[in-house]
């Protein structure tokens, strides 16, 4: 089952979360190190609380 995260105000899925990425020299890639509480909705242009819901594919 796939999930998506959406804005609790408008339901938009164009959302971001504040996080740290750490450089991994052995893989030569950025690795997610920590995810923080701050979330932003790009549709509302404001801070939000993310809601997790089941992702419904466009192909049903």
């Amino acid at each position: 089952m796939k999930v998506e995260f959406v804005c609790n105000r408008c339901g938009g899925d164009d959302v971001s979360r504040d996080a740290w990425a750490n450089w991994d020299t052995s893989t030569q890639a950025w690795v997610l190190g920590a995810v923080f509480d701050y979330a932003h909705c790009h549709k509302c242009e404001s801070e939000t609380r993310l809601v997790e819901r089941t992702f419904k594919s466009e192909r049903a």
Side-chain angles (χ1 to χ4, degrees):
M1 174 175 65
K2 291 185 178 182
V3 298
E4 65 181 342
F5 290 92
V6 297
C7 174
N8 74 315
R9 290 189 187 113
C10 72
D13 63 357
D14 187 10
V15 293
S16 298
R17 194 84 185 257
D18 196 17
W20 280 352
N22 301 313
W23 183 250
D24 185 326
T25 305
S26 62
T27 63
Q28 293 292 288
W30 290 103
V31 177
L32 188 61
V35 178
F36 303 108
D37 291 335
Y38 180 82
H40 182 85
C41 177
H42 298 279
K43 186 175 181 183
C44 293
E45 290 295 325
S46 64
E47 185 173 357
T48 188
R49 183 178 58 80
L50 298 181
V51 176
E52 181 179 328
R53 67 181 183 193
T54 302
F55 177 73
K56 295 179 180 155
S57 173
E58 294 178 16
R59 294 183 211 154

